[in-house]
Amino acid sequence: MKKVLVTYITHSGTTRDVAEAIAEEIAKTGFEAQVMELGAVKNTNDFDAVVLGAPMIIGWHRNALKYLKSHKAELVTKPLALFLTAMSLTESPKPKMPGIDLHTDQKLVVPPQKPGHIGFKESFTTLKHYLTPVLKAAPTSLKALAFFGGRLDMYRLKWYDALFVMLVVGAKPGEKRNWPDIRAWGASLPALLKLDE
Ligand SMILES: Cc1cc2nc3c(=O)[nH]c(=O)nc-3n(C[C@H](O)[C@H](O)[C@H](O)COP(=O)(O)O)c2cc1C
C-alpha cells in the first residue's frame, strides 16, 4: 500500500490539527497516511508522497522554506503537496504555476477595499506575495498547493508579533479553519498526487 507522509510545522497547534484532518481523509481513500511534526522527520525514504503544511508567520514559516531548499534533491523524487494556514488573503491574480493545482478556501479570500486596486497593506496578503518564495523553494515534484484559514490567539503572542499581525496582516483573533474545505482537499490528494498510477 502506498504511504503518504503528512508533515507540519506549527506555532500554536492550528496547522497540526489541519494536518491530522488531511491524513484522516487520505486514509479513508485507502492509502496509508502518517502525520509527523517536521522536526521529527529524518528522511522521506519510506514514503511514496509528501504533504507539508505550515502557517504564514510573516511569510511562510521560514523552517518550511528552509526544509524545501535543503531537501530538494530528496523531495524531487516523489510527488509533493503543500498547504499554508493564514488569517488574511486578499483576492488577487495567482502567480504563474504551470502544472500545480492551486486551491484556496473561498471563505478566507477578501476582495481589495478599492475594487481592482491592491493597496499597500493588502500587498502583504496577496497570493503573489505569499507564494513567490514558496514556488521558488519548491522542487519540480510539487503537484498541489492549498491555502486554508487558520486560527489566531493573540494572548499567545509576543507583543511585537501581535502588533504586526493586527496592523500589517490586518488579522483579527479567531477561528477561520473551514473543516469541510480542508477535508475535501485531503480527500482529493491521492488523485492530485497521482497515487493510483
Ligand atoms: C507573528 C505572526 C505572523 C503572522 N503573519 C501572518 C501573515 O503574514 N499572513 C496571514 O494571513 N496570517 C499570519 N499570521 C496568522 C497565522 O498564520 C495563523 O494564526 C495560523 O493559523 C497559525 O498557525 P499555527 O497555530 O499552526 O502556528 C501570523 C501569525 C503570527 C503569530
Side-chain angles (χ1 to χ4, degrees), residues 20-30 33 182-188 190:
E20 280 169 0
I22 288 169
E24 277 176 28
E25 294 304 320
I26 294 172
K28 283 184 199 166
T29 67
I182 290 165
R183 287 187 175 276
W185 188 73
S188 74

Side-chain angles (χ1 to χ4, degrees), residues 10-15 55-56 58 85-88 130 150-151 157 169:
T10 187
H11 222 230
S12 58
T14 311
T15 311
M56 294 300 308
I58 316 178
T85 53
M87 293 304 280
S88 303
Y130 284 156
R151 183 192 60 198
L157 304 184
V169 179

